Amino acid sequence: MQCDLFKTLWGHQGSFESAALLASAAGFTGIEAPAPEHDDQRAELAQVLRRHGLRYISEICTTGSYVPDRHATPDEHLQSLEQKIQRSLPLEPLFFNVMGGCDAWSLDVQIDFFGRAQALADRLGVLCSFETHRGRSFFNPWVTRDVLRALPDLRITCDFSHWVVVCERLMDSEWETILEVAERAHHIHGRVGYDQGPQVPHPAAPEYAEALASHERCWQAIWASQVRRGYRRTTMTPEFGPDGYLHTLPFTHQPVADLWQVNSWIGKRQQDQFTRWLDGQRAAAVIEE
């Protein structure tokens, strides 16, 4: 198995071309982003991806943006999902990373919605990976676990930083649940949260070493599951971002870190961590033989 990194366009200040150049220079495999609404922008993104030999993961939010339209019905979320899948198809995405549903729905509504969402994906012949995200259906570990138990074919994108802030603790305390949901993990969003926020100021800072190590243990649990499930590659999008996630200085709004430098750092570290982890797995297998 190999580890492929994708550059998020969330927080990128510049053109598709400049994003592609940064991704290529850092050794990333591709770009993750919503499909542009306008035909000319989609055509431009497609040209840039082809020119640089980059792959694409389509990001979808059903109704609203990262926070859902609170009053949208499950049917409206499904209509939004289908519309955005159709919009993305010309870009030939590897799969669709979906922030779906709403945190306020009851469990029976969640299960019915995701069952229909999976049926929609199957009908269209695409793979949807549903993200663990605040404000959305998979905003905490236990709702996610219960929906996954009811729907064995569902796949998820694990962004554990959201669960850390929702639960106000690192996810080592919920290790059995982490291991269970890891069995359905298809994609990883590589951001490090802490007990009072979804994004540490910088993951290399020694004061956040415990949070970084905890997230890495969770990511390694996913890698182990994916190896057992026969994955040939694991995908990760380093996703430190703006919009209140990135810490700023009072009064000046001066960022405390550069987003691309942080995402490049976490990406390189995880590729190194993955290589060491995989070597360790191979060595352990040889010893067992």
Side-chain angles (χ1 to χ4, degrees):
M1 191 167 74
Q2 68 182 53
C3 181
D4 290 344
L5 300 176
F6 287 75
K7 174 177 168 53
T8 179
L9 292 192
W10 182 44
H12 174 72
Q13 301 295 318
S15 64
F16 296 143
E17 177 69 17
S18 64
L21 289 170
L22 289 171
S24 296
F28 282 30
T29 297
I31 285 173
E32 179 176 334
E37 291 187 20
H38 300 294
D39 292 346
D40 57 343
Q41 291 179 320
R42 283 198 302 278
E44 179 188 355
L45 177 55
Q47 289 174 357
V48 167
L49 292 169
R50 283 195 299 269
R51 184 160 57 246
H52 292 276
L54 295 173
R55 307 303 299 273
Y56 172 63
I57 297 171
S58 177
E59 179 183 281
I60 289 177
C61 298
T62 61
T63 81
S65 181
Y66 296 106
V67 178
D69 178 348
R70 176 63 183 85
H71 301 291
T73 66
D75 284 343
E76 289 170 329
H77 279 263
L78 289 169
Q79 291 165 7
S80 174
L81 176 59
E82 181 165 12
Q83 177 190 48
K84 292 176 179 179
I85 288 175
Q86 296 286 6
R87 179 189 299 164
S88 301
L89 286 176
L91 293 167
E92 300 180 349
L94 287 174
F95 59 88
F96 297 81
N97 179 64
V98 181
M99 281 155 273
C102 178
D103 56 1
W105 294 345
S106 63
L107 181 60
D108 60 330
V109 172
Q110 305 282 18
I111 292 170
D112 178 71
F113 168 73
F114 282 102
R116 291 196 286 157
Q118 184 62 50
L120 170 63
D122 292 343
R123 175 169 60 82
L124 296 176
V126 301
L127 192 159
C128 286
S129 183
F130 297 94
E131 185 178 343
T132 62
H133 200 288
R134 286 171 301 148
R136 295 291 180 169
S137 294
F138 292 161
F139 71 102
N140 81 26
W142 308 286
V143 171
T144 307
R145 176 202 62 195
D146 291 347
V147 173
L148 293 177
R149 285 176 176 177
L151 300 169
D153 293 333
L154 214 62
R155 294 294 175 265
I156 62 171
T157 295
C158 290
D159 187 338
F160 295 120
S161 69
H162 288 283
W163 288 357
V164 166
V165 67
V166 166
C167 301
E168 287 196 279
R169 57 188 181 275
L170 297 174
M171 287 295 96
D172 301 75
S173 63
E174 306 300 326
W175 194 244
E176 288 186 3
T177 302
I178 291 297
L179 291 178
E180 185 171 345
V181 301
E183 293 298 313
R184 306 295 190 81
H186 181 72
H187 182 45
I188 298 171
H189 274 188
R191 186 173 60 247
V192 176
Y194 64 110
D195 53 2
Q196 299 302 330
Q199 180 169 303
V200 299
H202 199 298
E207 58 267 36
Y208 294 107
E210 182 182 2
L212 174 61
S214 175
H215 284 72
E216 289 179 337
R217 283 190 287 272
C218 293
W219 298 337
Q220 289 171 12
I222 291 172
W223 295 340
S225 170
Q226 289 178 333
V227 167
R228 289 193 299 271
R229 286 181 280 148
Y231 274 55
R232 300 297 298 274
R233 62 185 64 221
T234 186
T235 56
M236 172 183 282
T237 299
E239 213 209 15
F240 283 73
D243 190 30
Y245 286 71
L246 178 62
H247 290 236
T248 59
L249 298 176
F251 305 107
T252 65
H253 299 292
Q254 182 69 29
V256 301
D258 177 86
L259 280 180
W260 178 235
Q261 190 277 328
V262 170
N263 281 326
S264 299
W265 185 89
I266 199 74
K268 183 178 186 309
R269 178 178 169 90
Q270 295 320 305
Q271 282 194 319
D272 292 343
Q273 292 286 97
F274 177 80
T275 299
R276 284 195 289 271
W277 173 85
L278 197 59
D279 288 344
Q281 297 295 300
R282 289 168 177 157
V286 169
I287 291 172
E288 288 180 3
E289 291 175 359

